[in-house]
């Protein structure tokens, strides 16, 4: 059985959040609401009835979700913020049969507390009147919320009805107000029939909250979601920011861009042209969120999107040479939809995506699929390399013996090392999401990726034992494991057809294009160098050299942030790949960027306070450059040469802490003083002491972190560092400074400079 781990909604949500402000937003005083002229939407009169006398409504205790409006008889009513000038629907209304529905993306909107804030009570009264239709004095049943007294005070004949009894009371009601929840099938069916014959429904749900509480993979199983689907409304997995001091400002009926079908029309009008503007940014966001949650039976909008995708297929292939930029909103929307569709396609229905040829690459046509048994150490969490590459569009099967200790619970198969998503970037030189991770299900799991990539087996933390897992259907890739692969084996392996290669130790895995290593005769010296780097990082951090799992560094054509970033894996651009495997260059000149990112992975929050996130990681770079690469003195980055002048200017300016925090190399100069004054031993001692602290003794806020760092380092070196911290302008408490005054005072030679304040 094949399964997919990520929902379509989560993939499209990531894309829609990005769609966004990348389109060059024009200034407009009331973002998202309809213009009073020709752009007036067809639902304006109904929306005005719902919004009469309403200028702002309350914010619930937690951010509400958002609502997709896609039906012919549905329309948006209220908007929330989505970053900058972007807006998204948080309430909508629709006609269903002879009745009407109003839905809000948080049940707390329907509470008595919210009704007292701003114009929320007025809006709820308007909603009840709207869905009541012709009923002059509607009989209102209120379930799963405390709104009944509020409605009574506003002149309605409202009574509380237990949710369990609601289905049996519908014949005596004209309107139902149903708060947060997921009605069971019997009640859902009764409510749908009630509305279709002329009843009214006002309801609400916090969709992301329901998912969180229930652990559901998506919203498809929620009873309200299923109830609203025939009306052309659906909750999404996104959230909406407030737009006013009390919650959500109302400025008139929302415009056409907030109805998904109209949003797609707006995007379609840009086909073949470069375009930007607020309406397109709004439309792109709305359309993507809606497509993510369309019910299975919806056909019209799906057909429209698929027809556009067929027409624009040749334009949905981003490459480094011809990236897909934000001024092509239709193509970015269609590609996002295509990626989401691939996430739910059965393995047999997945074809190779044309963009795969550019990245991550396709093995040569003659490359033969193989079967490989992988010895899996379940005590090592994370990605386990298999030395195999999945061909784009070709199914891969994973077989796990039923005797595996603990079964397959938590185990997964992953295709692709390039885990960064690019939805938020203004330019896409590759498809923004190209990896796949699928839980193993039973003895056999089959998966397929349209983009291909290296095949991994993923182990969750906390497992033990060994398993022999067989992977079928992928081709071999160049793979070398230190102290396991012989030179003769590598001579053959480096010619393997897979386009990506991995060089591994128990401490680090390097993932690079295969062409980078095909000329590498012996990876052993390179990997022994990297092991020394990781051992140095461990020594400084005060952790064992033996690691629970290896670090990973992956080269990519584009990454989610910066030139490199830390994490699992560390990500870098392709131009770093040759340096990663050049032991001569690394051993003599080092690589500040890679050592810096590894430093991030070894930072501890207890001794990293505000302003030092990009500073204390560099201690590891300096330590590796000195102890592994043999640097004499402080070096490795051009900015370090200016540290003396920077320190003097900083002190001369009064040593403002704000300036210190804002300049990582200025702040690093403070630590360099300590390195030059006392060496590395106290850093190793203090970092190890932090590791051993019980939770109750760990500093929790920045002030406590600064105090603790100063005091612990001072005790380690036997010197009073209070005046040193004061001279640098790093704030510490009087009590902390007093606690180390019994030690001899210390200041670096020539610091602070003469004449400094």
């Amino acid at each position: 059985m094949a399964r997919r781990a990520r929902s379509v909604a989560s993939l499209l949500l990531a894309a829609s959040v990005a769609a966004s402000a990348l389109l060059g937003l024009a200034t407009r005083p009331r973002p998202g609401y309809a213009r009073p002229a020709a752009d007036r939407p067809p639902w304006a009169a109904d929306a005005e009835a719902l919004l009469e006398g309403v200028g702002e409504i309350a914010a619930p205790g937690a951010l509400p979700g958002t609502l997709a409006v896609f039906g012919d008889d549905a329309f948006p009513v209220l908007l929330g913020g989505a970053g900058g000038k972007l807006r998204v629907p948080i309430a909508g209304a629709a006609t269903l049969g002879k009745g009407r529905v109003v839905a809000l993306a948080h049940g707390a909107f329907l509470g008595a507390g919210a009704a007292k804030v701003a114009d929320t009570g007025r809006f709820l009264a308007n909603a009840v009147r709207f869905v009541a239709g012709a009923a002059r004095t509607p009989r209102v049943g209120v379930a799963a919320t405390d709104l009944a007294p509020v409605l009574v005070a506003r002149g309605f004949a409202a009574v509380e009805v237990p949710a369990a009894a609601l289905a049996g009371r519908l014949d005596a009601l004209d309107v139902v107000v149903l708060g947060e929840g997921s009605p069971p099938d019997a009640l859902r069916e009764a409510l749908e029939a009630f509305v279709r014959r002329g009843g009214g429904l006002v309801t609400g749900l916090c969709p992301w909250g329901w998912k969180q509480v229930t652990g559901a993979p998506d919203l498809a199983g929620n009873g309200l979601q299923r109830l609203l689907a025939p009306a052309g409304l659906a909750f999404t997995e996104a959230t909406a920011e407030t737009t006013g001091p009390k919650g959500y400002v109302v400025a008139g009926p929302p415009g056409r861009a907030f109805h998904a079908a109209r949003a797609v029309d707006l995007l379609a009008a840009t086909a073949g042209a470069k375009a930007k503007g607020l309406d397109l940014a709004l439309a792109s966001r709305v359309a993507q969120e809606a497509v993510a949650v369309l019910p299975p039976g919806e056909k019209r909008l799906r057909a429209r999107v698929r027809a556009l995708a067929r027409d624009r297929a040749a334009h949905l292939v981003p490459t480094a040479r011809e990236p897909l930029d934000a001024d092509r909103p239709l193509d970015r929307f269609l590609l996002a939809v295509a990626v989401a569709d691939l996430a739910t396609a059965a393995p047999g229905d997945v074809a190779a995506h044309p963009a795969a040829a550019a990245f991550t690459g396709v093995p040569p046509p003659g490359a033969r699929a193989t079967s490989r048994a992988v010895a899996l150490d379940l005590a090592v969490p994370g990605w386990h390399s298999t030395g195999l590459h999945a061909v784009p569009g070709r199914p891969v099967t994973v077989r796990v013996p039923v005797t595996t200790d603990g079964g397959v619970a938590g185990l997964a198969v992953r295709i692709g090392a390039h885990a960064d998503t690019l939805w938020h970037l203004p330019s896409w030189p590759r498809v923004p999401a190209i990896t796949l991770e699928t839980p193993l299900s039973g003895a056999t799991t089959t998966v397929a990726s349209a983009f291909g990539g290296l095949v991994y087996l993923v182990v969750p933390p906390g497992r033990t034992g060994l398993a022999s897992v067989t992977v079928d259907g992928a081709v071999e890739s160049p793979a070398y494991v230190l102290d396991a692969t012989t030179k003769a084996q590598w001579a053959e392996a480096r010619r393997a057809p897979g386009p990506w290669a991995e060089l591994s130790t128990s401490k680090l895995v390097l993932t690079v294009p295969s062409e980078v290593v095909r000329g590498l005769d012996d990876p052993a010296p390179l990997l022994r160098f990297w092991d020394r780097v990781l051992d140095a990082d461990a020594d400084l951090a005060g952790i064992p050299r033996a690691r629970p799992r290896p670090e990973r560094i992956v080269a990519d054509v584009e990454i989610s942030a910066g030139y490199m970033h830390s994490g699992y894996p560390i990500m870098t651009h392709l131009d770093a790949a040759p340096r990663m495997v050049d032991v001569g260059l690394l051993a003599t000149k080092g690589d500040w960027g890679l050592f810096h990112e590894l430093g991030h992975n070894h930072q501890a929050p207890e001794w990293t306070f505000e302003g030092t996130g990009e500073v204390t990681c560099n201690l590891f770079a300096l330590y590796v450059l000195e102890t592994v690469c043999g640097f004499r003195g402080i070096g490795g980055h051009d900015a370090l040469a200016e540290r003396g002048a920077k320190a003097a200017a900083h002190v001369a300016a009064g040593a403002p802490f704000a300036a210190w925090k804002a300049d990582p190399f200025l702040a690093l100069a403070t630590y360099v003083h300590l390195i030059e004054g006392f060496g590395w031993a106290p850093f190793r001692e203090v970092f190890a002491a932090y590791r051993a602290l019980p939770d109750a003794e760990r500093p929790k806020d920045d002030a406590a972190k600064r105090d603790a760092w100063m005091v612990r380092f001072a005790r380690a070196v036997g010197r009073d560092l209070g005046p040193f911290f004061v001279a640098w302008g790093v704030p510490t408490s009087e009590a902390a400074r007093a606690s180390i005054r019994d030690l001899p005072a210390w200041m670096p030679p020539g610091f602070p400079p003469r004449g400094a304040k």
Side-chain angles (χ1 to χ4, degrees):
M1 178 180 179
R3 295 167 56 197
R4 298 280 169 156
R6 293 190 70 187
S7 68
V8 178
S10 64
L11 285 166
L12 275 173
L13 173 59
S16 68
V17 168
S20 313
L22 298 175
L23 293 176
L25 305 184
T27 301
R28 191 195 261 180
R30 291 177 176 176
Y33 288 96
R35 300 180 182 90
D39 192 38
R40 181 177 170 83
W43 54 78
D46 283 341
E48 286 166 351
L50 279 161
L51 299 175
E52 183 182 0
V54 180
E56 186 174 4
I57 68 165
L63 289 178
T66 71
L67 198 74
V69 180
F70 59 88
D72 290 344
D73 298 316
F75 61 92
V77 177
L78 295 170
L79 302 178
K85 293 182 174 65
L86 289 180
R87 299 291 182 264
V88 283
I90 59 172
T95 298
L96 180 60
K98 297 179 180 179
R100 290 172 169 176
V101 174
V102 171
L104 298 101
H106 204 303
F109 282 127
L110 304 178
K116 298 175 184 177
V117 179
D119 305 313
T120 312
R122 177 65 178 266
F123 173 75
L124 295 174
N126 290 350
V128 171
R129 292 191 188 96
F130 177 79
V131 300
R136 286 184 170 274
T137 309
R139 300 163 297 171
V140 183
V142 180
T145 179
D146 58 356
L147 194 63
V150 175
L151 295 177
V152 169
R154 288 184 171 267
F156 292 99
V159 295
E160 291 186 12
V161 180
L166 187 57
R169 300 276 294 275
L170 292 176
D171 288 342
L173 299 172
D174 300 300
V175 173
V176 169
V177 177
L178 178 62
E180 190 88 25
S182 176
D185 286 347
L187 177 56
R188 174 183 58 79
E189 292 168 0
L191 284 169
E192 182 179 340
F194 166 75
V195 175
R196 285 187 181 278
R197 64 176 180 259
L201 173 66
V202 180
T203 190
L205 174 74
C206 177
W208 65 265
W210 180 82
K211 270 191 64 183
Q212 189 176 79
V213 170
T214 62
D218 52 41
L219 298 169
N222 179 271
L224 285 179
Q225 187 83 325
R226 297 173 66 195
L227 173 58
L228 294 175
L233 299 170
F235 297 108
T236 85
E237 296 183 17
T239 58
E241 303 166 3
T242 57
T243 59
K246 296 180 180 179
Y248 299 89
V249 174
V250 177
R256 296 173 187 268
F258 297 97
H259 189 290
R262 274 74 173 184
V264 171
D265 291 341
L266 284 172
L267 294 172
T270 71
K274 293 185 176 182
K276 60 182 179 180
L278 179 57
D279 282 343
L280 291 175
L282 297 169
S284 184
R285 176 73 180 256
V286 166
Q288 289 181 59
E289 288 190 7
V291 170
V293 293
L294 287 177
E298 198 285 330
K299 296 180 180 178
R300 292 185 60 182
L301 186 55
R302 289 181 194 276
R304 170 79 165 131
V305 171
R306 285 171 180 159
L308 285 169
R310 286 194 298 272
D311 292 343
R312 301 291 300 168
H315 305 277
L316 309 183
V317 186
T319 66
R321 186 182 294 271
E322 295 185 13
L324 182 48
D325 294 335
D327 57 6
R328 292 166 55 193
L330 173 64
D331 293 339
R332 283 166 71 108
F333 162 67
L334 293 173
L335 181 58
V337 172
V339 171
D341 282 346
L342 286 168
T344 57
D349 296 332
V350 175
H353 194 282
F359 194 86
T360 57
V362 179
R368 292 191 303 172
T370 189
S371 177
R372 174 170 294 178
V374 180
L376 196 60
D377 183 352
L378 300 176
V380 178
W383 304 358
H384 288 244
S385 303
T386 65
L388 299 173
H389 189 101
V391 179
R394 184 183 296 176
V396 172
T397 299
V398 179
R399 295 184 174 86
V400 182
V402 293
T403 56
T404 298
D405 184 29
V408 298
L411 300 180
V413 56
R414 159 176 277 274
I415 296 179
H418 301 90
D420 273 15
T421 59
L422 314 181
W423 301 115
H424 60 293
L425 297 182
S427 185
W428 297 344
R430 65 162 168 84
V431 175
I434 57 174
T435 62
L436 168 72
E437 188 168 307
T438 303
L440 299 186
S441 53
T444 301
T445 303
T446 300
V447 294
S449 164
F451 307 102
L454 290 169
V455 180
Y456 302 92
L457 299 169
V458 186
V459 177
R463 294 292 296 268
T464 58
L466 302 172
S468 179
V469 180
T470 302
V471 180
D472 293 322
V475 303
E476 292 184 344
S477 272
Y480 181 96
V481 179
L482 184 63
D483 296 329
T485 307
T486 66
K487 292 183 73 171
Q489 288 171 331
W490 172 243
E492 181 69 23
R494 64 178 172 168
R495 294 196 295 269
W500 285 83
E502 290 199 319
L503 308 177
S504 308
T505 83
S506 62
K507 299 170 184 182
L508 181 72
V509 181
L510 303 174
T511 304
V512 297
S514 294
E515 294 306 317
V516 173
V517 301
R518 294 202 195 278
L520 184 61
D521 292 328
D522 184 6
L526 167 75
L527 294 178
R528 295 197 193 285
F529 169 85
W530 277 113
D531 269 3
R532 292 195 298 275
V533 170
L534 272 294
D535 286 347
D537 283 338
D539 293 345
L540 183 58
I543 61 175
R545 287 186 169 188
R547 293 172 177 269
R549 70 178 184 188
E551 302 285 347
R552 288 180 173 271
I553 305 177
V554 176
D556 197 338
V557 68
E558 182 59 277
I559 64 175
S560 61
Y563 173 62
M564 297 181 181
H565 71 71
S566 59
Y568 184 83
I570 291 169
M571 297 298 301
T572 184
H573 283 75
L574 287 174
D575 64 337
R579 303 198 307 271
M580 290 160 57
V581 300
D582 187 338
V583 67
L585 182 66
L586 289 167
T588 55
K589 295 189 176 181
D591 192 297
W592 183 273
L594 294 172
F595 297 166
H596 168 100
E597 301 305 343
L598 282 167
H600 273 304
N601 282 6
H602 291 82
Q603 280 174 314
E606 292 81 9
W607 41 262
T608 301
F609 48 85
E610 183 184 8
T612 63
E614 294 298 325
V615 180
T616 58
C617 59
N618 285 331
L619 296 176
F620 292 88
L622 291 173
Y623 188 73
V624 167
L625 288 167
E626 181 177 327
T627 62
V628 179
C629 299
F631 277 35
R632 293 185 177 181
I634 301 299
H637 196 289
D638 291 344
L640 289 166
E642 305 170 5
R643 66 184 186 277
K646 278 194 168 193
H650 175 66
V651 174
F657 186 50
W660 189 92
K661 292 189 296 183
D663 186 338
F665 281 96
L666 173 64
L668 183 60
T670 307
Y671 291 85
V672 169
H673 272 159
L674 298 175
I675 297 166
E676 292 175 330
F678 304 106
W680 288 107
F683 285 90
R684 294 192 297 267
E685 175 187 337
V686 173
F687 289 163
Y690 272 102
R691 294 273 178 188
L693 283 177
D695 287 343
E697 296 181 25
R698 295 177 183 272
K700 300 300 191 294
D701 58 37
D702 273 352
K705 290 177 183 180
R706 292 192 298 268
D707 280 356
W709 172 248
M710 179 186 69
V711 171
R712 287 183 176 278
F713 203 91
R715 292 294 175 192
V717 300
R719 294 291 187 271
D720 177 6
L721 299 180
F724 172 70
F725 274 69
V726 170
W728 267 106
V730 178
T732 53
S733 69
E734 171 58 30
R737 293 194 298 275
S739 72
I740 54 176
R741 285 195 185 120
D742 60 313
L743 300 172
W746 177 84
M747 198 68 75
F751 184 84
R754 287 187 179 182
K757 297 179 182 178

